[in-house]
Amino acid sequence: MDFDALVLRDGDRVTATGLLVRNDQGDWLEPHLPMAPPGGGERRVGSVWRGAVRITGADFTALANRVEQHGAVEGSATVTGVWSGDQLRVDQQTPPPPRAAWVHPWVIPPCPSPPGGWPPGVPWGDMPLKYDLGDLRDTGAAVAVTLFRPSEDRAVLVVAASDQAAVEARLRPQLGVLLCVVPSRWTKAQLDEIRDYLWERREQWQLFGWGPHHTADGQARMTARLARVQPEIAAWANSLPDGIVALDPWLAPQQPTASLSGLFQRSAPPAATQVGRPAGLSAGDRGGP
């Protein structure tokens, strides 16, 4: 998909779930960010995030988890409206949907199964296979390491490698047929360069998460979660090799070609992506708009 299709322009219809905030500066909408009250104390209406957008037409009396303090109001909703003049004009509002349960997305390894199928007997858990990567990550020989689950009692380690021989030499003696090694589409240096580029522009581009995600075939790509896609961001993403980056905008034009995962990549093979916020993604700081 061309990233230009994600650029939000005047007249576009938008549906978004987020936190609505009314304070002395106006009415705002922002994404739900991974933050807890300081010290686990009482929830308070805070200042809006730097990527918050102005909103009109919202009903602040009909918010989920509503909090009101000293005239300020905060709560959650799903809103639909028209983007115009850098603000969202709401014409529909509903309660936010329940949070989707995390589902293990890596099921079918990208290697042929051994005769008789993948061996059973592997317990369920975060670390059902015991292995030592050594320096494979540091050297970039192993670009993506993903645990696949063909069934509840089967596990296979899939490694997308820039140096397949080094990965085979290190891990095959430890894992035997439970290892699947495939060539990586990218090098560690390529992914690190994109990560650093995003880091340098995290405030300018209103990012609230970025880092590597693994696709359904065990390949790594860099994913950026951001408030919305500006023309500058789309132009940069379109200039990159196909499939190396995915954008997950909180605000995007309604369009029938949107993927179910909410992540968009240009001309890359279809792939299910990790659900939820994986380790390694950096969260944006909440401050003034």
Side-chain angles (χ1 to χ4, degrees):
M1 176 179 180
D2 193 317
F3 288 107
D4 288 334
L6 294 179
V7 177
L8 199 56
R9 296 180 171 88
D10 281 359
D12 284 336
R13 286 194 65 78
V14 178
T15 294
T17 297
L19 192 68
L20 283 76
V21 180
R22 170 171 287 171
N23 57 23
D24 57 3
Q25 296 179 338
D27 293 349
W28 304 89
L29 175 67
E30 65 180 31
H32 287 292
L33 300 175
M35 294 175 297
E42 180 184 1
R43 181 180 156 211
R44 298 181 178 179
V45 179
S47 58
V48 296
W49 177 57
R50 53 183 165 78
V53 298
R54 290 193 178 274
I55 190 171
T56 61
D59 183 357
F60 277 79
T61 66
L63 300 176
N65 300 316
R66 187 178 183 275
V67 173
E68 183 171 357
Q69 292 176 334
H70 309 295
V73 180
E74 176 181 292
S76 300
T78 296
V79 294
T80 299
V82 176
W83 183 256
S84 177
D86 286 335
Q87 67 178 355
L88 183 61
R89 303 179 186 275
V90 175
D91 52 44
Q92 297 177 34
Q93 179 174 328
T94 59
R99 180 172 296 181
W102 190 86
V103 178
H104 191 85
W106 303 286
V107 178
I108 303 175
C111 295
S113 60
W118 300 108
V122 179
W124 185 263
D126 292 335
M127 292 294 292
L129 298 179
K130 295 182 179 180
Y131 57 90
D132 181 3
L133 290 173
D135 63 355
L136 291 177
R137 286 188 189 273
D138 294 337
T139 62
V143 179
V145 180
T146 312
L147 183 70
F148 277 64
R149 279 288 193 174
S151 66
E152 288 191 3
D153 64 343
R154 290 172 170 84
V156 179
L157 191 71
V158 174
V159 180
S162 63
D163 187 342
Q164 292 178 261
V167 172
E168 288 280 356
R170 177 78 188 185
L171 295 179
R172 186 65 67 184
Q174 301 180 55
L175 295 171
V177 297
L178 299 181
L179 174 67
C180 167
V181 182
V182 295
S184 177
R185 296 191 190 112
W186 325 111
T187 65
K188 179 178 181 294
Q190 286 177 298
L191 293 167
D192 287 349
E193 182 179 0
I194 293 174
R195 179 202 61 202
D196 294 344
Y197 194 87
L198 291 169
W199 166 259
E200 293 169 359
R201 288 156 181 80
R202 64 194 183 279
E203 294 189 3
Q204 175 187 348
W205 287 0
Q206 299 174 348
L207 303 181
F208 57 92
W210 60 96
H213 276 200
H214 297 177
T215 61
D217 58 357
Q219 294 288 335
R221 70 181 177 196
M222 199 59 59
T223 295
R225 301 176 66 196
L226 66 169
R228 55 192 173 104
V229 177
Q230 306 277 5
E232 175 191 0
I233 302 172
W236 167 77
N238 282 328
S239 72
L240 298 173
D242 294 344
I244 196 171
V245 71
L247 300 181
D248 185 8
W250 167 59
L251 296 177
Q254 288 184 352
Q255 48 192 328
T257 55
S259 72
L260 293 178
S261 68
L263 301 179
F264 293 79
Q265 56 181 12
R266 185 167 58 93
S267 303
T273 54
Q274 182 169 345
V275 179
R277 183 174 181 269
L281 284 187
S282 306
D285 293 324
R286 191 179 185 186

